[in-house]
Amino acid sequence: MTTFADLGLSQKVLSAVADAGYTNPTPIQAGAIPYALQRRDICGIAQTGTGKTASFVLPMLTLLEKGRARARMPRTLILEPTRELAAQVAENFDKYGKNHKLNVALLIGGVSFEDQDRKLERGADVLIATPGRLLDHCERGKLLMTGVEILVIDEADRMLDMGFIPDIERIAKMIPFTRQTLFFSATMPPEIQKLADRFLQNPERVEVAKPSSTAKTVTQRLVASHSKDYEKRAVLRDLITTQDNLKNAIIFCNRKKDVSELFRSLERHGFSVGALHGDMDQRSRMTMLANFKDGNIKLLVASDVAARGLDIPDVSHVFNFDVPIHSEDYVHRIGRTGRAGRSGRAFTIVTRADTKYMDAIEKLISEKIEWQSGDLSALPAPMESHDNERGRRGRDRDKERGRGKRGDSGHRADTKKQDNQIEATEGFEESKVENVRPERKADRKPQNNGGNRNTRPSPANDDNRDRRRHRDHDDGPTPVGFGDDIPAFMLIVANAKA
Ligand code: AMP
């Protein structure tokens, strides 16, 4: 079996790798490092979690041992699609470069230009950047790219999805043609291949796992739901609270707006939850991630962009609140669990509208995913329409006030049936109420970044009736206008004069 010493890395690097506790290189490391050290261009096809970062950081450290950085002229440049990934790569340089005295500058949005300028002024051996912020610095005339010897384009498929390719082309034009380019992507569809052909010269192709494969250690299940967001939220809550061994989970939404909405909903329902989306400032994102890694937050609601490539070891569950539109995202999402041979569980909430996306996913992974308890055809009758819901709420309130308008028992039975139906779909079946009822806001301690509450909402003292009366708007459609309580004076027909 190949050892790190076989790869041609320097002593300083080998010693840091040994300190990190790694015994053998991963396949992408064994494949890419020798070529990188020969200054060859590389087209690496590997997902995060395969040791991909070290496969370019370790040879870069070795190569950087010769030579010195000059002010405002970085020697190497690593482009990353998100701030988190950029920060994670910087952490890798701290870890593996602990025996080197290299200047590493991180140019990401959400951090002041002044601090970044100071680092550049000192001369950066390694510049790790997101494309937009890098171009901002170039336009301010603070950065010269003519000294860059190694360019790393990481997560190329994600760069394409995020519309960064024109930026990368602009950046690549500023860097001498004689550079070495290391190009990594989790998938290699034709448009990525075309890009690779443009950026690379006679590259060595290193491919590790099939990009469309999912880990055998992940148990995947589909969960049928009606399509309204509040119905999906109820299904999700039910899933979370019925898991026996949920240590922590990432919940994926397709849009960042939905990330915020779902986060607020879960928080209101008393779950220990945080959120990660593109609109958060850098500090909050880092704090959130640290809280999740440390176990202070059990659930993390995230978008694909925000979560891409995050190295969070040992996530027990992944929930897809939305079926991903790009099937590759499914592979990335569920790759957050079942890492390093551990077992993981991945649940995907599927509505009728998602069928074609689910078909594409199953085709990509060449696998049929089992339904958790019945497919879409087994779903109970759809939830009440908005109008019926308004009626029900009105009747609920009437009942609670002890002045039910409908006297006949048939109607009462109907109403009761409807109540049970809505309770069940909200994840609050009567038998479970004691266990899963959320805390009241007033009972909660002040929280920071999503808080330290338990995954399972704790019992509260309010009785059912109280809960129903205070049901937050997340539990179903909100009555429009006065609902059933239209004041009598508004029903008087006015005599309008012509
Ligand atoms: P990456 O694919 O770069 O996100 O790395 C995934 C995880 O694998 C990180 O936690 C690394 O610290 C870890 N790792 C990288 N190389 C090795 C190795 N040779 N042996 C064991 N773990 C590794």
Side-chain angles (χ1 to χ4, degrees):
M1 195 181 233
T2 320
T3 66
F4 279 104
D6 299 332
L7 303 178
L9 295 163
S10 72
Q11 276 312 318
K12 284 182 184 173
V13 172
L14 289 177
S15 140
V17 166
D19 290 349
Y22 304 158
T23 44
N24 292 99
T26 64
I28 185 74
Q29 292 163 2
I33 291 173
Y35 292 122
L37 290 172
Q38 290 164 27
R39 296 211 175 258
R40 292 282 307 274
D41 280 7
I42 290 176
C43 180
I45 305 161
Q47 290 173 256
T48 45
T50 55
K52 175 182 57 122
T53 318
S55 78
F56 58 84
V57 172
L58 303 182
M60 282 174 79
L61 284 166
T62 301
L63 293 171
L64 283 165
E65 283 173 22
K66 286 198 196 92
R68 290 196 60 209
R70 284 187 284 165
R72 289 193 281 140
M73 289 183 71
R75 298 170 67 197
T76 61
L77 170 64
I78 301 169
L79 293 174
E80 293 288 340
T82 65
R83 305 164 184 186
E84 282 76 18
L85 275 169
Q88 228 161 263
V89 173
E91 279 170 24
N92 271 257
F93 272 97
D94 291 343
K95 183 157 135 193
Y96 307 127
K98 63 183 214 172
N99 303 317
H100 296 74
K101 287 200 172 60
L102 295 176
N103 283 334
V104 178
L106 187 59
L107 299 193
I108 51 180
V111 178
S112 87
F113 276 95
E114 287 66 35
D115 290 349
Q116 296 179 348
D117 282 346
R118 264 196 298 279
K119 284 222 153 174
L120 293 175
E121 199 57 50
R122 261 194 280 153
D125 296 286
V126 181
L127 190 55
I128 307 163
T130 48
R133 181 50 77 102
L134 182 83
L135 285 171
D136 287 347
H137 275 278
C138 291
E139 275 156 20
R140 286 154 49 105
K142 298 279 179 179
L143 200 48
L144 273 173
M145 306 301 283
T146 47
V148 172
E149 297 158 31
I150 304 173
L151 168 67
V152 179
I153 300 169
D154 196 15
E155 303 267 342
D157 50 355
R158 179 56 37 160
M159 298 273 202
L160 181 79
D161 284 354
M162 293 173 72
F164 283 151
I165 301 302
D167 286 353
I168 292 175
E169 281 177 338
R170 277 180 65 198
I171 295 165
K173 278 196 193 120
M174 298 181 212
I175 303 175
F177 189 62
T178 49
R179 66 172 190 255
Q180 177 185 14
T181 309
L182 312 176
F183 182 97
F184 291 91
S185 186
T187 54
M188 202 39 89
E191 59 269 52
I192 297 288
Q193 187 59 58
K194 265 194 236 148
L195 267 182
D197 295 343
R198 277 219 296 284
F199 291 127
L200 301 170
Q201 293 179 58
N202 188 24
E204 199 57 57
R205 191 178 163 109
V206 185
E207 183 166 2
V208 288
K210 251 178 54 207
S212 56
S213 57
T214 53
K216 293 282 165 284
T217 45
V218 183
T219 309
Q220 305 168 58
R221 291 288 180 270
L222 305 182
V223 185
S225 168
H226 290 299
S227 60
K228 299 258 170 32
D229 274 354
Y230 66 87
E231 292 167 307
K232 290 171 71 179
R233 287 196 287 266
V235 169
L236 176 71
R237 289 196 298 271
D238 203 36
L239 260 177
I240 296 170
T241 48
T242 51
Q243 296 301 306
D244 286 334
N245 47 2
L246 192 148
K247 181 170 172 269
N248 54 0
I250 305 184
I251 305 167
F252 285 99
C253 296
N254 287 352
R255 292 173 304 177
K256 58 188 173 197
K257 170 185 146 288
D258 295 333
V259 169
S260 315
E261 210 163 275
L262 182 59
F263 159 68
R264 281 196 300 272
S265 162
L266 288 167
E267 194 182 41
R268 273 198 304 271
H269 279 270
F271 290 91
S272 163
V273 62
L276 207 61
H277 58 77
D279 286 348
M280 289 162 71
D281 66 51
Q282 184 59 11
R283 239 179 98 170
S284 331
R285 291 208 230 183
M286 289 308 185
T287 314
M288 187 64 74
L289 203 53
N291 273 329
F292 186 65
K293 279 187 180 174
D294 295 345
N296 299 330
I297 296 168
K298 296 279 186 288
L299 307 175
L300 185 66
V301 188
S303 62
D304 292 287
V305 168
R308 179 77 167 206
L310 294 181
D311 178 28
I312 305 158
D314 202 15
V315 175
S316 72
H317 285 65
V318 165
F319 297 101
N320 288 320
F321 182 73
D322 298 309
V323 174
I325 289 163
H326 303 293
S327 18
E328 296 86 27
D329 283 337
Y330 180 83
V331 181
H332 285 290
R333 288 180 182 187
I334 76 159
R336 309 283 102 212
T337 184
R339 294 182 135 198
R342 294 188 189 96
S343 63
R345 295 177 74 75
F347 292 92
T348 302
I349 298 177
V350 183
T351 70
R352 286 204 170 84
D354 300 321
T355 317
K356 77 168 180 204
Y357 300 119
M358 243 7 272
D359 288 348
I361 289 167
E362 290 182 330
K363 199 166 152 222
L364 177 79
I365 63 173
S366 317
E367 205 178 319
K368 268 256 166 260
I369 309 171
E370 262 182 58
W371 291 89
Q372 166 82 348
S373 45
D375 61 14
L376 287 162
S377 65
L379 272 176
M383 292 274 290
E384 300 150 316
S385 72
H386 202 104
D387 286 347
N388 288 343
E389 176 68 4
R390 271 157 56 193
R392 186 189 64 75
R393 280 173 180 265
R395 288 194 295 280
D396 262 6
R397 276 193 295 272
D398 289 345
K399 264 201 308 183
E400 282 157 19
R401 288 174 199 150
R403 53 178 176 86
K405 284 177 194 158
R406 303 180 194 271
D408 70 291
S409 59
H411 262 112
R412 263 205 305 277
D414 273 1
T415 314
K416 178 87 185 128
K417 209 165 114 200
Q418 282 176 335
D419 278 353
N420 283 343
Q421 196 179 1
I422 195 124
E423 289 291 351
T425 50
E426 284 173 3
F428 283 120
E429 288 167 54
E430 293 303 330
S431 60
K432 281 197 215 133
V433 161
E434 279 315 303
N435 291 331
V436 301
R437 196 182 306 151
E439 303 164 73
R440 277 184 301 194
K441 278 226 155 101
D443 296 337
R444 294 182 195 161
K445 291 195 191 83
Q447 297 295 328
N448 199 2
N449 287 318
N452 297 325
R453 274 165 274 129
N454 295 324
T455 309
R456 278 165 200 265
S458 60
N461 296 327
D462 47 353
D463 64 22
N464 269 352
R465 192 196 309 181
D466 210 22
R467 183 164 55 80
R468 220 170 265 155
R469 201 162 42 221
H470 291 291
R471 179 181 290 158
D472 70 50
H473 72 264
D474 176 50
D475 291 342
T478 344
V480 174
F482 290 95
D484 266 12
D485 296 334
I486 302 174
F489 76 87
M490 289 187 75
L491 299 173
I492 299 169
V493 181
N495 284 329
K497 280 192 182 141

